[in-house]
Amino acid sequence: MSEPDIRKELLNAPVEPLLPIEKKLIGWSLGIGLVLLVVLVMINHFVPITIAG
Amino acid sequence: MSITVESGRWSSATQPAPWIDEDWLSLCIGLGIFALALGGLAGMDVLGWVVSTSVWTDPGQALGTVSKAYAGLGGAGALLVTYLALLLVLTASAAALSLDVKRFAAGFTGVFALGYASWIIGSNAHVAAVTPTDLQKFGIDWSLKLTNEGGYVVALLFGLVIANFFPRLAEWLKEAIRPELYIKIAIVILGAFLAVTAAGKLTLATSILLRGVAAIVEAYLIYWAVVYYIARRWFGFNREWAAPLASGISICGVSAAIATGGAIRARPLVPVMVSSLVVIFAVVEVLILPFLAQTFLWQEPMVAGAWMGLAIKTDGAAVAGGGITESLILAKAAAVGIHYQPGWILGVTATVKVFIDVFIGIWAFVLGYIWTNHINPTRDADKARASEIWQRFPKFIIGFVATFLVGLYLALGTSPEIAAKLPAQIAEANTFRVIFFILTFFSIGILSNFKKLWQEGIGKLAAVYLLSLFGFVIWVGLIISWLFFSGVKPPLAT
């Protein structure tokens, strides 16, 4: 079985516009991620790492 | 030629289907070594013959057995017995994986010989000695101060040289080039080592575990979305290439690219090419980031450990990078009289990596659901199923958690006599962990044939990787590591 020429495939691939579902995936991921990070940073601030025992 | 999906390695295409995969095998081998090491708690020193290497100036003094009970074997005898034991176990594993057993045995002999030779070279005092006292002890006036774990870098460089300048030798070794198998075995054993380390400072260990959650958020929700957007909008990749690429760069390299490729029903070629790229960049990162960490983060050791886990993709390279970072930072701190307990920096790296790994299956399911229902709606039989979460779950993590919990129980929940014997027994298992690290580094180097990958048209993929990795993955990882771990120091060695 011959393998596709990847270089050509990547150069000549037709453009696929971002679908609304992809935009949602990106937007929701980033949004939830940033909110969770802020929450975790706050938890980290109020419950700092304890080094003792 | 193609790359197997298990490990991202070059392999022939005509292999019968194995009855077990590398994940389960690594779990079995790692647990087996752990169980044998625990024999010492019952008075049976089963693994004391394994070879260990000391920092040396006289080659005759370099090797020895890990336990004095087997000292009669001598260094060369210990090396030979260790090689034979590993050859036996791993050749049996190769048979279980339906590999060419003869070629594996021959290849493994070469991998072990060259890998361990690198380790011995890396343990020379001119490479490994750290403190002025060490220099005085060995009667030398200079050293690279890499500690004996500089041997990992030597093994990686050996592998790179062979891959790029001695392709026929690389081809001969290829059946035994199994970095994913080696590192997964090492990670299972690492669980026990970290348990013994954590037992002394349980509260600190718990705090570190809780902060592993931040790594999940960063890898899956932030990195992935940004890399996917860059690949789609700025570089014009289609969905089939962009999704595995985003997973490879953001999550956990090879495993994530393969899981994503399967989930969105991409052609096998796509995750395989991405995996190759992941390995190449992981090599570059391992050669650069630990030294940057030593220079700029030696006063923030835990930040450095977390950074390795977040910035370096693939389990092998990340955990190995954490090991090098630990040795470099401990060396630099020791040079100014600060002696940290070993194991904590590496522990943070491994924790971050394991937390990220755990969610690969769930993320693959989420992507699979979106792709098969909304992007490329398929017939019901082809839709993403919840059982894929378990299928994609990296099973070796079960071994890591098991050895960690059993180790912790033995250290804290048993009699003082058993707890006192435990560190020596885990040290025997840990010697195997070091050997599997060496095999991993050497194998990663062998996989990195830059010319071959470039010829196959990987340049555009590499451009996305380069931009994403050095443009934000490394730096966001550093910021988040700093936010959660700055000011936290490993306990001092007593």
Side-chain angles (χ1 to χ4, degrees), chain A residues 2-50:
Chain A
S2 66
E3 288 184 2
D5 185 333
I6 301 187
R7 189 192 297 268
K8 272 187 189 168
E9 179 187 318
L10 293 177
L11 285 174
N12 301 326
V15 176
E16 290 179 355
L18 276 173
L19 296 173
I21 184 76
E22 289 177 278
K23 289 179 185 167
K24 267 189 192 172
L25 176 64
I26 294 168
W28 278 96
S29 293
L30 272 177
I32 295 171
L34 290 173
V35 169
L36 282 175
L37 260 189
V38 170
V39 171
L40 288 168
V41 168
M42 286 167 66
I43 293 173
N44 186 60
H45 179 73
F46 292 113
V47 190
I49 289 182
T50 315

Side-chain angles (χ1 to χ4, degrees), chain B residues 326-368:
Chain B
E326 174 166 288
S327 62
L328 292 174
I329 288 182
L330 293 192
K332 188 153 183 173
V336 295
I338 304 169
H339 297 279
Y340 291 124
Q341 261 183 32
W344 287 94
I345 300 172
L346 176 60
V348 170
T349 307
T351 303
V352 163
K353 210 67 200 154
V354 164
F355 265 73
I356 292 174
D357 278 358
V358 166
F359 279 82
I360 286 177
I362 294 172
W363 188 244
F365 175 74
V366 169
L367 294 181

Side-chain angles (χ1 to χ4, degrees), chain B residues 36-239:
Chain B
L36 289 175
L38 293 186
L41 300 180
M44 296 178 293
D45 191 356
V46 188
L47 295 180
W49 42 263
V50 66
V51 67
S52 70
T53 308
S54 308
V55 178
W56 60 276
T57 46
D58 171 8
Q61 304 294 314
L63 302 177
T65 55
V66 71
S67 163
K68 284 179 183 168
Y70 289 86
L73 269 178
L79 184 63
L80 183 65
V81 173
T82 305
Y83 157 69
L84 290 174
L86 289 174
L87 180 69
L88 184 71
V89 172
L90 293 174
T91 304
S93 305
L97 289 170
S98 301
L99 303 181
D100 182 331
V101 171
K102 280 184 188 166
R103 287 201 66 189
F104 181 90
F108 178 76
T109 302
V111 170
F112 183 84
L114 293 166
Y116 211 85
S118 313
W119 185 248
I120 295 171
I121 291 169
S123 297
N124 180 272
H126 282 296
V127 179
V130 174
T131 62
T133 315
D134 291 339
L135 297 182
Q136 200 174 16
K137 178 180 154 192
F138 290 107
I140 57 176
D141 51 13
W142 66 272
S143 165
L144 295 175
K145 298 182 179 175
L146 293 179
T147 79
N148 62 345
E149 296 196 356
Y152 294 139
V153 180
V154 179
L156 182 63
L157 292 175
F158 256 40
L160 280 172
V161 168
I162 291 169
N164 290 280
F165 298 104
F166 303 95
R168 289 175 70 178
L169 177 56
E171 177 71 15
W172 180 69
L173 296 171
K174 74 173 187 182
E175 202 72 353
I177 299 302
R178 297 258 152 195
E180 293 282 306
L181 175 67
Y182 301 143
I183 197 63
K184 286 172 182 174
I185 297 170
I187 290 175
V188 172
I189 301 169
L190 184 63
F193 175 67
L194 295 181
V196 173
T197 308
K201 289 279 178 185
L202 202 55
T203 315
L204 175 57
T206 311
S207 300
I208 291 170
L209 276 177
L210 292 176
R211 275 144 187 87
V213 178
I216 298 167
V217 171
E218 184 186 0
Y220 289 89
L221 298 176
I222 295 177
Y223 282 169
W224 195 94
V226 175
V227 177
Y228 185 77
Y229 182 82
I230 288 175
R232 295 278 287 118
R233 286 300 290 265
W234 294 3
F235 286 84
F237 278 103
N238 63 21
R239 295 177 198 97

Side-chain angles (χ1 to χ4, degrees), chain B residues 403-419:
Chain B
T403 57
F404 183 84
L405 292 178
V406 172
L408 209 55
Y409 168 73
L410 291 170
L412 299 173
T414 54
S415 67
E417 290 77 24
I418 289 180

